[in-house]
Amino acid sequence: MGRPRTTSAVPGRTHAEGPLTAAVASGTAELRPDRDRPHAWELRLDGAPQSLVDLADPTHLGFAYQRRIGHLIDLAAPARQPLTALHLGGGALTLARYTAATRPRSRQQVAEIDTELTALVRTELPLDRSWQVKVRGGDARAVLERTPDDSTDLVVADVFAGARVPAHCATVEFARHAARALTGAGHYAANLTDGGPLAFARAQTATLLAVFPEVCLVADPAVLRGKRFGNLVLFAAHTPLPLTDLTRRLATDPAQARLLHGRDLTDFTAGTAPATDTTAVPSPAPPPKTFT
């Protein structure tokens, strides 16, 4: 790491250099070249996919859950209008790159507790120097709690310890801090994983419904039916969500998605109680061979 780059017009690690494995604070990080895109890399932590970054095209979102959040970023304000964004959980900074590329002059802060991972990403998958992205080493909730009231247009919670959402970042108290930090027209997005009876996803939905007046859930229909383990994305806001445009964009995605809102969303919770700091549990561990 730290060597000069002379073999490619695109700054950063080249496919000719091959995959990279490195020990970081949170485990073993792997950078795997993407077979279909000559400048794209997948970041894995202890075998679990974390991020996909195309160094030549920061608007490319290779994971379905990231495309869904990308749609919300697109709809959060008029095209190319800068946003103030807080990303809780950094990984390879895919969504921060997307926001910077699609909304120039956006001011963004990223909370990533693993500073060794951040150093690896900055070296091998560097950010454009013109982007206003500050990555701070620290616990996501601690950073959120220090965020001033009414200061942020977008909060994205993509917090994982290993392959599980930590309990302290999945509570009513956590959601209240996000709601407090958002501007009146701001948007909140949370990525989580679950499977089977979806007990964690139902509790997280009830948690956001207890804090925000507007909430919707987006996921693959098979995940919603409990047929497989996967990602679910929750969106929330103080004002009505752009449901019509969001549904239209989801319909164009290569991966199927279903959006739940209103009565359908309430029914999905099945009477599950919101999670609090005294009752919350981490999201379930992925079943064996989920990522093989």
Side-chain angles (χ1 to χ4, degrees):
M1 295 194 302
R3 59 194 178 285
R5 309 289 187 177
T6 58
T7 59
S8 172
V10 178
R13 190 170 187 85
T14 67
H15 281 201
E17 294 174 281
L20 174 68
T21 300
V24 294
S26 54
T28 299
E30 300 174 77
L31 290 177
R32 299 183 177 184
D34 186 279
R35 295 178 180 178
D36 299 321
R37 302 180 73 89
H39 300 285
W41 294 87
E42 181 183 63
L43 169 67
R44 291 192 169 213
L45 281 175
D46 291 334
Q50 296 291 320
S51 304
L52 183 68
V53 168
D54 188 334
L55 294 172
D57 180 9
T59 67
H60 174 70
L61 299 175
F63 292 170
Y65 89 86
Q66 291 179 330
R67 286 195 299 273
R68 292 161 188 165
I69 297 176
H71 294 323
L72 183 70
I73 295 171
D74 291 343
L75 296 169
R80 298 187 70 79
Q81 178 176 306
L83 294 178
T84 300
L86 173 62
H87 302 267
L88 304 173
L93 311 174
T94 304
L95 289 170
R97 297 170 195 265
Y98 181 84
T99 304
T102 60
R103 295 186 174 278
R105 303 183 309 283
S106 290
R107 292 182 292 111
Q108 301 187 77
Q109 181 178 183
V110 181
E112 172 55 62
I113 197 169
D114 191 337
T115 56
E116 294 177 10
L117 175 62
T118 297
L120 176 72
V121 168
R122 283 189 177 279
T123 300
E124 301 297 334
L125 310 176
L127 298 173
D128 187 307
R129 292 182 179 180
S130 69
W131 293 343
Q132 299 179 60
V133 179
K134 295 182 179 180
V135 185
R136 303 190 183 281
D139 176 78
R141 176 155 174 177
V143 171
L144 178 61
E145 290 177 351
R146 293 195 301 268
T147 303
D149 294 2
D150 193 30
S151 64
T152 304
D153 300 313
L154 174 71
V155 175
V156 177
D158 191 10
V159 188
F160 283 81
R164 307 177 71 181
V165 179
H168 74 294
C169 293
T171 70
V172 167
E173 292 85 352
F174 181 89
R176 284 175 181 158
H177 282 294
R180 173 190 55 76
L182 284 174
T183 61
H187 293 81
Y188 177 72
N191 175 45
L192 56 98
T193 53
D194 203 356
L198 299 174
F200 183 80
R202 296 182 201 279
Q204 288 308 293
T205 302
T207 297
L208 290 193
L209 285 169
V211 175
F212 288 94
E214 290 290 328
V215 181
C216 73
L217 173 68
V218 180
D220 185 301
V223 174
L224 284 173
R225 292 195 299 268
K227 298 296 185 181
R228 69 175 181 83
F229 189 91
N231 294 83
L232 305 96
V233 177
L234 282 160
F235 298 136
H238 299 299
T239 56
L241 291 160
L243 298 175
T244 300
D245 288 337
L246 185 58
T247 301
R248 185 180 298 115
R249 285 170 179 257
L250 290 170
T252 67
D253 281 347
Q256 281 191 311
R258 184 181 172 197
L259 185 151
L260 301 182
H261 178 257
R263 180 61 182 271
D264 289 340
L265 190 64
T266 303
D267 291 345
F268 173 76
T269 66
T272 306
T276 68
D277 281 348
T278 57
T279 64
V281 297
S283 66
K289 299 183 180 181
T290 297
F291 306 121
T292 58

